[in-house]
Amino acid sequence: MVFSSLTFLLYFFPVVLALYFVRSGIRWRNGVLLAASLFFYAWGEPTWILAMLASALINYFCALAMQGKKGAARKTWLWIGAGSALGLLFVFKYLSFFVNAFLGIFSSAVRIPVLELPIGISFYTFQILTYTVDVYRGKQKPQPSFARLLLYVSCFPQLIAGPIVRYGDISKEIASRSVSPDDFSAGMKRFLVGLGKKVLVANVCAEIMNKLPLAGAASLSLGGAWYAAAIYTLQLYFDFSGYSDMAIGLGRMFGFHYKENFDHPYWSASVREFWRRWHISLGSFFREYVYIPLGGNREGKGRTIRNTLIVWGLTGLWHGANWTFILWGLYYGALLTIDLIGGRKLTKALPGAVSRVLTLALVMVGWVIFYYPTIGQAFSHLGAMFGFGQGLMDENALGVIRTYSILPVIYFLVSLPTGEWLKTLTARMNLSPRVGEIAGALVMLALAAYSVIFIEGLSSNPFIYFQF
Amino acid sequence: MKHKIRFIASVVCVVALLVTGIFVMLFSRKQSTPSEKENRMLQGFPRLSAGTLFSGEFSKQFDDFLSDNFTGRDAMVDAAEGTLKLFDAVKGDEAFEKKARQMEQDLAREGAAGEESEGSQEGEVFEEDSVVLSASEIPIDSRKSYQWYVKTDGTLSLKYEYLKTNVDTYAETLRLLKSCLPADGVIDFVQVPLAQQANRWRDQQDIYSGWGSSMEMMLTQSLGGAANINVYSAWNLLAPYVCSEPPMFYFTDHHWSAEAAYIVASAMLEDQGLPVIPYDEYSYKSITSSAVDEKGRRDVFNVLYPLTPVHSYVVSGGKEHEIGLMAYDVATYTSFMNGSREPWRRITTQAGTGRRALVICDSFGNAFTPYLLAYYDEVHMCDFRYGYYDHTAAGGYIKDNIARYGIDDVYIIISSANDLRKDNSIKYLRKYLGF
């Protein structure tokens, strides 16, 4: 099920809320949430829910089996648990890619079929891993109740597209939590902001993208290529951060406090800063569970560069079994390596505005690689961006740009920390808190109404991050 | 509580969403109904069974059902588009309009148009009986062609007009498309009336005795004798059968029937010198519609079984996903070709002819395409309507895929809902072709 679908908004969401609050005990509320989460997943993936259940069950037993054991025995259970979760991910997501790539080396015409990817498998696999690894490390106690562990893995707000919630972050709230009216309204506000980002911005950007000539078109010009890259840059941010906002908001309405996943990434002055602001939960996972165990930056520059490239290659691969994703990951690995060996000093020497524009341009180049299914198409588009296309501006792109020139500017401004700037500004105006309260409530109602209108009025698009 | 008003607004939101949901469920139409505006069947309430539930079909159809039957849907579409237009820097699609104007000016300069030039615009729809001509007058001139009914008193009642500028633009698109095909490759074009147009004549034979269209004649003239581009008139081909049995057009649906599609396909194949397989040599599953029209009539969808084994795939995002060729268990027009599938469809056969065809169509292509399967090793399909063709998902523009798949012949099957007065044919076909 998709948050921005009518099925979710008109039925699932209000009915689950009503059932959740009809009684106050944690057993009832966890039960409602677990049943709702399994229904939520099964609505779109009636078969592959079994894969999630199997992965959670194996890791539940493995974590319990680690109790009281030390050394190799403990490690064996870690390998069984983590291996089963990663093995499942590998089979569904990567097996056909690697086998077919291998067969391709020998010019074999034989190909194994690409399996249908269970939705959210990359996200819930990583969540399961944080549980098993943290239990192994002794940071967390094994969860004695399978239902509670399953609730952590399958909790519908973050199940399908994150943020990747670490077990330690919400283990206490699974056992005991409360929702105040302020929590509820703050969660609702956050949910509606996320819904608006997805429906009012990301979907409109998707419509614009559909009208633009892209790689493979007879006329991909320099201006058209940069404009398309800019629109996709906006679409991706509003799509994914909108989903994260909705997840965080929904979580809060049910008493969970998820960590932030985005922090105005396009306001970054360096690529390193960008990755501290973009998909924070993924970056933090790789830092905690891959980069640091590999040695991090403690074993000299050479090892640090190696570890950086490994982490970014894996980050790219996590997004999908495709060479463009691997290239995209390595692109960031290379940029961060340059940053490490001296680029950081150069960036700091630049005026703030220049470094922000430069960072944004580098990020846009990255998104072009990310967008296309083949490296050839990506390079064709990048070629046009750097003057090897069909002139400065083509007629088709110009028609679209002239139609959609105001909205992207507004969207870009919204992607910056303008909300915080506005808050500072209104604080200086000494407005009555009641005025702000009423204005906020009206904005919420308007967002809800307009979102429903746009869901119905524009052709909807699935969340981009669902495919990962 | 710090934020009392915000809390009340939150509760109001949740309650309003639930009330809207209940309202939609109570007052929406549960049966699948045709949408003339969108030229497709709107989703009815899905059938609940273990099969549909576990295949995910129920959930998908339920989402579509809510979307298709949402109260005030058209108003919401208008509101969303109107909101976006507020932010338009200029009127949309100016580039296409500019191109159409440029082409017209070029023609005028060359003396080909020979008439005062006008901007590209949608042709007029005449009010009933507003223009009456004698049957001896052929409704075509240097600037316009027409579609009409012949009335029993011998006069003509004009229905639609087609501007020559639009027809010329379309002819240019066909020539560009032909340049992508091998020298012996053929383009066959037909525009098909809607069921409503045919049944108007069939049901009111005291008023109407025929129909016609001069657009095809104008398009042929605009093509200027371009080799291997053939224009067919469905009006002429189907006229002898419109009032007879079996019906050429459905009553509960706005599409043409398998029998009508067969007649047009046979004419095209025969002109190519191919042996036409008699209609009765095919085996069919006859499916009676669950819906009835206002006169209590039901339709029979004759969905053929291909003569050789076939595999049918939806191609999207570089992947192929096999689906059934037909939906033999669906009692609607969707049974043909298992409905329109985006962005690209590939059907492999064992015809062994060494040739491949592409059908560029709206949903009317679904009844037509089955009759090509015995003549081609592969038959491909794509829908040219606005929003249907995603060139990224399809792996390129249509011309790229023509080269990739080695297409020999192209069939263009469009309905009056997307005819040469509409943006779909004039603007978007060319855009999706990649020119």
Side-chain angles (χ1 to χ4, degrees):
Chain A
M1 200 180 297
V2 182
F3 291 160
S4 56
S5 70
L6 293 173
T7 309
F8 180 86
L9 289 171
L10 304 186
Y11 303 106
F12 184 88
F13 176 49
V15 168
V16 171
L17 272 177
L19 287 173
Y20 185 83
F21 286 109
V22 80
R23 286 179 66 181
S24 59
I26 191 72
R27 281 171 68 89
W28 169 261
R29 290 188 170 183
N30 278 354
V32 168
L33 216 45
L34 179 59
S37 298
L38 295 178
F39 179 82
F40 178 87
Y41 192 80
W43 184 256
E45 292 283 3
T47 312
W48 297 127
I49 192 171
L50 295 173
M52 181 178 72
L53 291 172
S55 192
L57 193 64
I58 292 168
N59 279 271
Y60 167 72
F61 283 119
C62 288
L64 285 178
M66 283 180 209
Q67 258 183 325
K69 295 196 175 58
K70 285 183 181 173
R74 195 172 173 84
K75 200 169 235 175
T76 304
W77 288 113
L78 168 72
W79 281 114
I80 293 172
S84 66
L86 286 171
L88 205 62
L89 180 66
F90 182 82
V91 167
F92 278 108
K93 198 165 177 176
Y94 303 109
L95 182 66
S96 59
F97 172 71
F98 283 116
V99 171
N100 290 336
F102 181 75
L103 292 170
I105 295 170
F106 302 102
S107 305
S108 167
V110 179
R111 288 286 183 276
I112 64 166
V114 177
L115 293 177
E116 189 188 337
L117 192 66
I119 288 178
I121 189 170
S122 305
F123 287 95
Y124 71 67
T125 298
F126 274 28
Q127 294 208 163
I128 289 171
L129 284 179
T130 71
Y131 168 69
T132 308
V133 173
D134 283 357
V135 170
Y136 169 77
R137 288 175 175 173
K139 284 186 176 176
Q140 298 295 329
K141 287 181 183 167
Q143 172 56 259
S145 158
F146 177 63
R148 285 188 176 181
L149 180 68
L150 190 59
L151 176 60
Y152 156 68
V153 173
S154 69
C155 198
F156 78 85
Q158 40 73 25
L159 169 61
I160 286 173
I164 298 165
V165 179
R166 284 152 72 167
Y167 179 70
D169 293 340
I170 60 159
S171 57
K172 284 181 185 160
E173 286 175 337
I174 287 176
S176 167
R177 63 186 178 277
S178 60
V179 185
S180 70
D182 283 343
D183 271 335
F184 185 85
S185 53
M188 186 71 183
K189 182 184 162 193
R190 189 69 185 268
F191 174 76
L192 290 174
V193 166
L195 184 64
K197 277 182 170 179
K198 165 64 183 162
V199 176
L200 304 179
V201 182
N203 282 2
V204 175
C205 288
E207 292 269 320
I208 302 173
M209 282 298 286
N210 198 33
K211 292 179 179 176
L212 282 167
L214 295 168
S219 57
L220 186 61
S221 62
L222 187 141
W226 275 100
Y227 181 77
I231 296 297
Y232 186 61
T233 298
L234 291 170
Q235 184 192 350
L236 203 54
Y237 168 70
F238 282 103
D239 192 282
F240 192 21
S241 76
Y243 190 93
S244 292
D245 285 340
M246 284 188 266
I248 290 167
L250 284 170
R252 190 140 180 212
M253 293 173 86
F254 292 106
F256 292 104
H257 292 79
Y258 300 145
K259 286 184 175 168
E260 291 299 329
N261 209 22
F262 288 86
D263 180 19
H264 308 292
Y266 297 151
W267 188 243
S268 303
S270 69
V271 171
R272 187 169 296 276
E273 185 185 348
F274 171 78
W275 276 104
R276 280 200 298 266
R277 292 168 174 266
W278 177 276
H279 204 171
I280 297 165
S281 64
L282 182 70
S284 133
F285 176 91
F286 273 110
R287 189 169 53 253
E288 179 83 12
Y289 297 96
V290 182
Y291 184 69
I292 291 173
L294 283 172
N297 58 2
R298 288 164 300 179
E299 294 171 25
K301 218 163 227 182
R303 281 290 183 92
T304 306
I305 291 170
R306 184 203 69 173
N307 295 344
T308 303
L309 290 173
I310 289 173
V311 163
W312 285 99
L314 288 175
T315 303
L317 200 58
W318 177 86
H319 284 84
N322 197 323
W323 292 112
T324 49
F325 288 129
I326 295 171
L327 181 66
W328 172 80
L330 293 174
Y331 167 74
Y332 276 106
L335 287 179
L336 291 166
T337 302
I338 292 167
D339 184 78
L340 191 75
I341 58 176
R344 199 176 301 180
K345 285 178 194 162
L346 190 72
T347 317
K348 278 184 181 167
L350 291 171
V354 175
S355 57
R356 286 185 208 286
V357 170
L358 185 64
T359 303
L360 189 57
L362 289 170
V363 168
M364 284 165 70
V365 167
W367 290 143
V368 169
I369 301 169
F370 190 87
Y371 177 79
Y372 284 101
T374 67
I375 289 176
Q377 285 174 308
F379 275 103
S380 161
H381 192 119
L382 289 172
M385 283 170 77
F386 292 99
F388 299 102
Q390 303 292 315
L392 285 177
M393 182 59 75
D394 61 284
E395 211 174 46
N396 284 346
L398 185 63
V400 179
I401 292 169
R402 292 176 75 181
T403 307
Y404 298 102
S405 51
I406 300 170
L407 277 176
V409 173
I410 295 173
Y411 293 163
F412 178 67
L413 291 175
V414 173
S415 77
L416 303 180
T418 37
E420 286 155 33
W421 300 337
L422 279 174
K423 258 186 206 167
T424 316
L425 196 71
T426 47
R428 282 187 197 153
M429 291 162 72
N430 282 328
L431 290 174
S432 146
R434 204 168 177 78
V435 172
E437 181 88 336
I438 292 170
L442 288 175
V443 169
M444 277 171 68
L445 292 171
L447 265 178
Y450 253 93
S451 295
V452 171
I453 288 172
F454 267 67
I455 287 170
E456 189 56 27
L458 281 188
S459 56
S460 64
N461 295 276
F463 288 94
I464 293 173
Y465 262 67
F466 273 21
Q467 62 184 298
F468 309 135
Chain B
M1 194 191 308
K2 271 191 199 168
H3 303 289
K4 195 174 175 182
I5 296 172
R6 198 198 282 171
F7 178 69
I8 292 167
S10 302
V11 174
V12 166
C13 269
V14 175
V15 172
L17 288 170
L18 184 60
V19 168
T20 309
I22 293 168
F23 189 80
V24 170
M25 198 50 76
L26 287 178
F27 296 103
S28 58
R29 276 182 292 197
K30 304 293 184 293
Q31 285 192 328
S32 181
T33 49
S35 163
E36 206 167 324
K37 186 176 178 183
E38 297 175 55
N39 190 25
R40 67 182 180 90
M41 293 299 288
L42 298 179
Q43 177 68 50
F45 193 85
R47 193 168 52 89
L48 181 61
S49 68
T52 58
L53 207 57
F54 288 106
S55 66
E57 196 181 322
F58 180 83
S59 56
K60 189 191 174 310
Q61 289 183 355
F62 185 79
D63 288 342
D64 292 344
F65 162 74
L66 282 182
S67 177
D68 282 359
N69 293 283
F70 200 86
T71 313
R73 184 165 190 265
D74 289 349
M76 291 196 174
V77 172
D78 291 343
E81 288 177 354
T83 306
L84 290 179
K85 276 199 166 59
L86 289 176
F87 297 97
D88 281 5
V90 292
K91 189 173 171 288
D93 299 324
E94 187 173 293
F96 293 107
E97 287 171 15
K98 191 177 159 196
K99 195 177 277 181
R101 280 199 298 274
Q102 183 64 47
M103 189 178 288
E104 190 179 356
Q105 283 162 8
D106 291 347
L107 284 168
R109 220 177 8 254
E110 291 163 12
E115 295 291 339
E116 183 187 349
S117 63
E118 291 176 359
S120 176
Q121 55 187 279
E122 194 170 282
E124 188 171 349
V125 178
F126 294 98
E127 290 299 319
E128 180 63 4
D129 295 336
S130 64
V131 180
V132 177
L133 302 167
S134 83
S136 59
E137 294 179 71
I138 299 171
I140 185 168
D141 59 37
S142 57
R143 286 188 299 167
K144 291 171 185 171
S145 55
Y146 303 88
Q147 187 261 309
W148 65 87
Y149 289 103
V150 181
K151 301 183 82 171
T152 48
D153 63 5
T155 60
L156 303 185
S157 170
L158 300 188
K159 183 65 182 160
Y160 297 130
E161 70 173 25
Y162 301 90
L163 302 179
K164 186 166 193 307
T165 50
N166 283 347
V167 175
D168 285 343
T169 302
Y170 199 80
E172 179 62 19
T173 304
L174 293 184
R175 278 196 290 268
L176 287 169
L177 175 61
K178 178 67 183 74
S179 68
C180 304
L181 299 179
D184 65 341
V186 170
I187 296 176
D188 284 347
F189 164 91
V190 71
Q191 177 189 309
V192 187
L194 296 175
Q196 290 89 331
Q197 292 171 279
N199 291 331
R200 181 170 169 178
W201 169 18
R202 182 186 173 101
D203 291 345
Q204 299 180 68
Q205 292 180 49
D206 54 329
I207 301 173
Y208 303 109
S209 61
W211 64 8
S213 163
S214 54
M215 184 279 292
E216 288 78 3
M217 194 190 298
M218 181 177 262
L219 180 58
T220 305
Q221 288 169 359
S222 293
L223 284 164
N228 288 350
I229 305 180
N230 309 308
V231 178
Y232 289 83
S233 171
W235 315 89
N236 294 346
L237 287 168
L238 301 178
Y241 310 101
V242 167
C243 299
S244 59
E245 296 297 331
M248 290 291 111
F249 291 83
Y250 294 124
F251 302 116
T252 64
D253 185 282
H254 62 293
H255 292 97
W256 59 348
S257 67
E259 291 80 2
Y262 173 81
I263 289 168
V264 172
S266 301
M268 292 174 171
L269 295 166
E270 193 170 9
D271 285 352
Q272 291 179 38
L274 297 166
V276 175
I277 298 167
Y279 182 80
D280 294 335
E281 275 191 22
Y282 288 104
S283 301
Y284 295 88
K285 176 162 185 184
S286 296
I287 305 168
T288 304
S289 68
S290 49
V292 290
D293 77 347
E294 67 278 5
K295 292 180 190 295
R297 294 176 290 198
R298 288 181 193 275
D299 289 313
V300 177
F301 304 102
N302 288 321
V303 188
L304 73 72
Y305 293 103
L307 297 175
T308 71
V310 300
H311 289 283
S312 158
Y313 306 91
V314 173
V315 185
S316 181
K319 293 175 186 170
E320 289 195 341
H321 167 61
E322 183 154 10
I323 61 159
L325 177 73
M326 309 281 193
Y328 291 106
D329 56 346
V330 175
T332 65
Y333 184 82
T334 306
S335 53
F336 293 109
M337 299 307 295
N338 216 336
S340 297
R341 301 291 176 144
E342 306 161 38
W344 195 269
R345 185 90 177 259
R346 184 170 81 92
I347 301 121
T348 60
T349 77
Q350 293 180 11
T353 58
R355 292 185 74 80
R356 296 171 181 204
L358 167 65
V359 183
I360 300 174
C361 58
D362 55 18
S363 55
F364 277 62
N366 295 340
F368 173 90
T369 303
Y371 296 107
L372 299 183
L373 298 176
Y375 299 89
Y376 292 94
D377 288 352
E378 285 190 12
V379 177
H380 296 245
M381 294 178 80
C382 69
D383 197 321
F384 68 98
R385 286 174 286 175
Y386 173 67
Y388 274 70
Y389 193 79
D390 179 339
H391 62 274
T392 307
Y397 289 97
I398 295 173
K399 74 177 171 67
D400 303 324
N401 280 346
I402 285 175
R404 175 180 299 132
Y405 293 115
I407 302 295
D408 298 291
D409 301 326
V410 173
Y411 297 84
I412 300 179
I413 315 296
I414 64 173
S415 70
S416 281
N418 299 294
D419 64 13
L420 273 61
R421 299 169 299 123
K422 302 292 174 69
D423 285 353
N424 278 330
S425 282
I426 302 304
K427 296 174 182 173
Y428 295 112
L429 174 60
R430 181 179 288 209
K431 181 184 176 186
Y432 295 149
L433 282 169
F435 296 116

